Amino acid sequence: MATLLYSASLNDCIARWREDGLMVFGPSTAGGVSGFREVEDAGSLDLDLVLTRSTLKELFFPRTEPMLGYRIGKQQIETEEFIPPEGRRIIFGVRPCDAAGMQVDDALFDWDYHDAYWFRRRDSSVIFSIACTHSDAFCMCTSLGLAPDSTKGSDVLLRPLAAGNGWKVEALTERGENALSSISSLLKEGGDAPAPLTDVPVKFDLEACRRWLADPENFESRFWKEISERCIGCGSCTYLCPTCHCFDIQDEGDTYQGVRRKNWDSCSFSLFTMHTSGHNPRATQSARWRQRIMHKFNYFSLKFNVNSCTGCGRCTRECPVDMGVTETLQAISTLQR
Amino acid sequence: MSIQEHYRSRAKELLSSGTVKMVIGYGTGSTPDRRRPVFITSPDETDRLVLDKACRTNLSGYLLREGLLSDQKQVAVFFNLDGVRSLNILAAESQLETAQVLVLGFRIEGEEVTALQGERAADFKSLIAAAKEQRKSQPPHELQEKLEAMTPKERFSFWEAEFSRCIKCYACRQACPMCWCRRCVVDNNQPQWVNTSSHTLGNLEWNLLRAFHLAGRCVECGNCSRACPADIPLHLLNRRMSDEVQGSFDHYPGMDEAQEPVLASFRKDDPETFIL
Ligand code: SF4
Ligand code: SF4
Ligand code: SF4
Ligand code: SF4
């Protein structure tokens, strides 16, 4: 026997959570583009998508957010600190790779500085992931040591039932248990069979890639130019990546008043490393692509003992010139042999 | 011989004879329906070239890669007519010399891909002139008609909603062959002309600024719309600006490399007495 949530009860669950003062978010499509948005009922959820176009990270690390306001008067300077709203949230229908991305970034945002903006939202959110029964040609969680039913970063894991009428429910954290207790009357006990998980083939040998990347000899390899010659530096791969986390601090306003904001930034942009002198240590697009790969699979892995990639495949799926992490790591795997 | 075979052997000839140092074309992608830009420098690799109806990307932007044309050698590029027009504009704007570019021209019509006659930008003049006439009689896009029928207020909220999805990745700019500025105005921060934040104002500023800067220069190749990860219908903006430029000045961008840029030239008989 296991705890089950039938799809038919989902609407009532959402209503219950909302009555309790929680906001409910989930995958939904607006203007033809899928992402995580607040929903009022189950009908607005798009749970059949393999993956949303934009990622879960936007709910924790918005593309722009105010941090500080300032106003300079004749006598005094006033400042105002913007703290993200405290509202508690349920995020329903996350894919395991996106949830795992949260855990990757937890390490970063708690490294030399505890990022209150990130953790305030983390602490007030409960992530309900749904194991994958479908995947597409770009999915590659298994190449990164994850799986269609990984539990990393999730508070509750839902396993779709074979009959397609609901999910088997597994609480993974205390936050998850609490969120489930408020809907306990809507959960059932039963022995319904779970649906088989999707089969995601392993696309490269990650350890071999990491060894190649860690070898200083390869830093200046011609490989980098060849593999990234067509990159146009558009940054889509970073902005749509669940783990890419670079940001820029910008002051907007004039001498007397304004707002300091935290905005997304990307290592694909030439401006990212441009010095005031005009010198750019990453002068070419291939140097920038090398940085993206090195950061994810070498530097980040060494520092935090986890790769900064969960295999969602978006960088390939969305690249206008059909590049991506997959091709590069596949090519490195072959170099190894 | 299929058009793909025809161009593969032409590319081989061009590379073996040393006429060109590189062929920029399309190759297979990571899934059967995807194509990717490829850069072929050896005659032994021309089998990697693919030409079919999935080859949509305008490749002219790659010609401006740092140093590529600085040795005066020639490069061959696969181009449809929009691509040739963008090549003409780049030449008109002094970004390259057409003498260094050999055109491998093609046209996609439905399922059909055909070769265009000629190999130099100037060879396509009459085809471009015909395209200009054809554009005049082109029926408006369905959504375009809907937009025209709206009140300015409704139209503004339509675009506000569209731009609200913009994530300020600048993929539209990076993908656009006409966006060749080494330093885009949004990348300047002394002074900061445009807000870099992706909030309503910043997004609106960015998208309108780009649309204006592309007026009379856009060849409607679609690179920007295809690259936009937020699926913003940028082509509608571009089309509207192109209609305006064609209607007001009879200007069809990219006719030839001698064409004056419509918004950067002045005539004494201009009805406006001042630069708008
Ligand atoms: S790899 Fe692709 S998505 Fe990433 S910056 Fe380059 S062109 Fe854009
Ligand atoms: S690097 Fe690519 S595959 Fe990995 S998490 Fe980011 S977008 Fe997904
Ligand atoms: S604005 Fe868009 S359609 Fe126009 S030339 Fe640039 S990429 Fe092509
Ligand atoms: S490509 Fe789309 S999302 Fe990116 S900056 Fe341009 S309009 Fe905005």
Side-chain angles (χ1 to χ4, degrees):
Chain A
M1 292 294 262
T3 310
L4 304 176
L5 166 61
Y6 288 113
S7 319
S9 311
L10 182 56
N11 213 25
D12 292 337
C13 293
I14 295 177
R16 181 75 52 85
W17 282 322
R18 286 170 57 84
E19 277 162 27
D20 290 350
L22 282 94
M23 289 178 285
V24 182
F25 289 78
S28 82
T29 305
V33 181
S34 53
F36 286 88
R37 300 189 174 86
E38 188 173 2
V39 294
E40 295 186 357
D41 50 47
S44 323
L45 289 170
D46 229 341
L47 298 176
D48 293 333
L49 292 171
V50 169
L51 267 177
T52 49
R53 173 86 59 90
S54 58
T55 74
L56 181 62
K57 82 172 173 197
E58 288 199 39
L59 291 186
F60 297 85
F61 172 37
R63 55 205 197 206
T64 176
E65 85 174 310
M67 303 171 77
L68 182 83
Y70 63 90
R71 188 187 299 270
I72 303 178
K74 280 216 172 70
Q75 304 298 331
Q76 82 268 43
I77 299 174
E78 288 166 35
T79 57
E80 180 192 358
E81 205 177 335
F82 295 97
I83 308 277
E86 230 176 313
R88 289 181 305 139
R89 313 185 290 186
I90 300 281
I91 308 171
F92 191 93
V94 174
R95 290 297 176 203
C97 54
D98 270 6
M102 294 292 105
Q103 217 179 41
V104 170
D105 280 355
D106 282 346
L108 185 275
F109 285 124
D110 200 20
W111 168 41
D112 53 349
Y113 179 81
H114 183 82
D115 188 308
Y117 295 81
W118 173 267
F119 284 106
R120 223 178 153 88
R121 294 189 176 100
R122 284 289 277 139
D123 293 341
S124 58
S125 306
V126 190
I127 297 179
F128 278 65
S129 294
I130 301 183
C132 304
T133 51
H134 299 281
S135 50
D136 68 12
F138 305 102
C139 290
M140 52 157 192
C141 53
T142 48
S143 308
L144 277 306
L146 295 167
D149 61 348
S150 294
T151 55
K152 281 192 178 145
S154 306
D155 297 297
V156 175
L157 181 71
L158 303 175
R159 291 177 184 276
L161 298 176
N165 58 347
W167 307 272
K168 200 175 140 209
V169 184
E170 289 167 26
L172 304 165
T173 64
E174 206 182 312
R175 274 203 298 251
E177 271 165 24
N178 291 341
L180 288 173
S181 68
S182 63
I183 53 161
S184 55
S185 62
L186 296 164
L187 299 173
K188 301 274 179 294
E189 290 293 315
D192 302 22
L197 295 176
T198 179
D199 186 20
V200 180
V202 174
K203 299 193 169 179
F204 47 79
D205 177 351
L206 181 63
E207 286 319 308
C209 292
R210 291 197 46 198
R211 279 196 300 278
W212 190 86
L213 292 171
D215 183 350
E217 286 282 304
N218 296 326
F219 192 77
E220 299 290 354
S221 165
R222 274 182 47 211
F223 172 79
W224 295 113
K225 183 173 183 296
E226 285 163 11
I227 200 81
S228 64
E229 205 160 13
R230 62 187 186 277
C231 175
I232 57 171
C234 74
S236 296
C237 52
T238 56
Y239 280 11
L240 299 178
C241 171
T243 65
C244 277
H245 47 246
C246 288
F247 61 85
D248 184 25
I249 306 273
Q250 281 275 341
D251 286 341
E252 264 173 20
D254 55 32
T255 316
Y256 301 104
Q257 59 181 357
V259 179
R260 174 163 292 181
R261 309 186 70 96
K262 178 177 170 189
N263 292 342
W264 284 0
D265 204 350
S266 165
C267 61
S268 307
F269 300 159
S270 65
L271 210 65
F272 189 73
T273 44
M274 179 78 88
H275 294 181
T276 334
S277 64
H279 170 68
N280 193 344
R282 285 184 215 139
T284 57
Q285 206 53 44
S286 58
R288 291 170 211 133
W289 182 249
R290 176 181 61 197
Q291 163 63 20
R292 185 160 192 266
I293 300 292
M294 284 286 188
H295 183 202
K296 287 191 175 295
F297 303 99
N298 190 14
Y299 317 142
F300 199 95
S301 323
L302 287 174
K303 196 180 281 292
F304 299 114
N305 208 19
V306 57
N307 298 299
S308 174
C309 169
T310 64
C312 75
R314 282 189 186 85
C315 52
T316 309
R317 205 179 277 114
E318 307 299 345
C319 174
V321 295
D322 195 42
M323 275 192 31
V325 158
T326 317
E327 182 206 13
T328 299
L329 294 197
Q330 272 172 335
I332 295 177
S333 283
T334 352
L335 287 177
Q336 282 289 295
R337 275 192 225 117
Chain B
M1 193 170 16
S2 75
I3 177 169
Q4 178 173 294
E5 286 312 315
H6 166 71
Y7 275 136
R8 277 182 182 174
S9 59
R10 181 68 185 130
K12 201 188 260 305
E13 258 168 47
L14 289 168
L15 285 165
S16 345
S17 63
T19 314
V20 303
K21 64 166 180 177
M22 180 188 275
V23 177
I24 306 181
Y26 307 92
T28 50
S30 50
T31 58
D33 57 336
R34 288 168 66 137
R35 299 289 169 264
R36 58 169 67 147
V38 292
F39 307 86
I40 309 285
T41 49
S42 147
D44 307 330
E45 284 181 27
T46 49
D47 287 353
R48 285 174 55 208
L49 290 165
V50 172
L51 189 58
D52 58 20
K53 67 178 168 74
C55 300
R56 301 248 162 214
T57 307
N58 180 356
L59 302 170
S60 60
Y62 287 119
L63 287 168
L64 302 187
R65 280 293 164 91
E66 202 124 338
L68 180 64
L69 298 178
S70 56
D71 57 5
Q72 305 310 314
K73 291 197 177 124
Q74 291 193 69
V75 172
V77 189
F78 281 80
F79 276 131
N80 64 17
L81 219 48
D82 296 339
V84 180
R85 288 167 57 212
S86 63
L87 181 65
N88 280 333
I89 300 177
L90 290 175
E93 295 178 350
S94 312
Q95 295 308 300
L96 49 74
E97 307 267 352
T98 51
Q100 264 182 280
V101 184
L102 221 134
V103 176
L104 304 174
F106 66 96
R107 186 201 293 275
I108 303 175
E109 269 164 325
E111 299 293 307
E112 197 74 27
V113 186
T114 46
L116 298 179
Q117 291 307 310
E119 276 195 343
R120 290 291 163 196
D123 299 342
F124 303 91
K125 236 175 162 154
S126 56
L127 282 175
I128 296 175
K132 175 182 178 180
E133 287 315 306
Q134 205 187 352
R135 193 188 185 286
K136 283 186 190 160
S137 52
Q138 192 182 347
H141 191 279
E142 198 183 317
L143 194 53
Q144 198 180 2
E145 274 187 319
K146 233 163 73 189
L147 279 170
E148 298 292 350
M150 287 179 184
T151 63
K153 213 172 155 187
E154 287 167 341
R155 207 154 42 227
F156 191 81
S157 32
F158 169 86
W159 283 112
E160 212 177 356
E162 290 295 326
F163 294 152
S164 71
R165 293 199 309 271
C166 173
I167 56 175
K168 278 275 181 93
C169 57
Y170 303 134
C172 44
R173 173 189 77 186
Q174 293 303 108
C176 175
M178 272 27 276
C179 279
W180 50 256
C181 296
R182 293 283 181 277
R183 188 147 195 178
C184 179
V185 67
V186 295
D187 292 342
N188 274 326
N189 57 4
Q190 293 289 345
Q192 184 89 55
W193 297 107
V194 179
N195 283 313
T196 59
S197 305
S198 155
H199 46 40
T200 314
L201 178 65
N203 289 351
L204 216 77
E205 284 175 331
W206 162 242
N207 284 284
L208 294 185
L209 178 141
R210 208 181 91 84
F212 274 108
H213 200 186
L214 269 301
R217 303 174 62 238
C218 168
V219 296
E220 298 176 72
C221 66
N223 267 15
C224 53
S225 296
R226 279 190 297 268
C228 176
D231 283 359
I232 298 172
L234 298 167
H235 54 279
L236 290 179
L237 277 184
N238 299 328
R239 232 180 122 131
R240 184 67 177 74
M241 297 307 276
S242 300
D243 286 349
E244 201 66 43
V245 165
Q246 192 162 16
S248 307
F249 307 105
D250 193 33
H251 185 91
Y252 187 61
M255 294 292 285
D256 56 54
E257 58 182 297
Q259 188 186 36
E260 285 191 340
V262 72
L263 295 187
S265 49
F266 183 75
R267 294 211 191 105
K268 281 192 187 138
D269 59 353
D270 195 297
E272 299 291 344
T273 53
F274 189 69
I275 302 165
L276 277 182

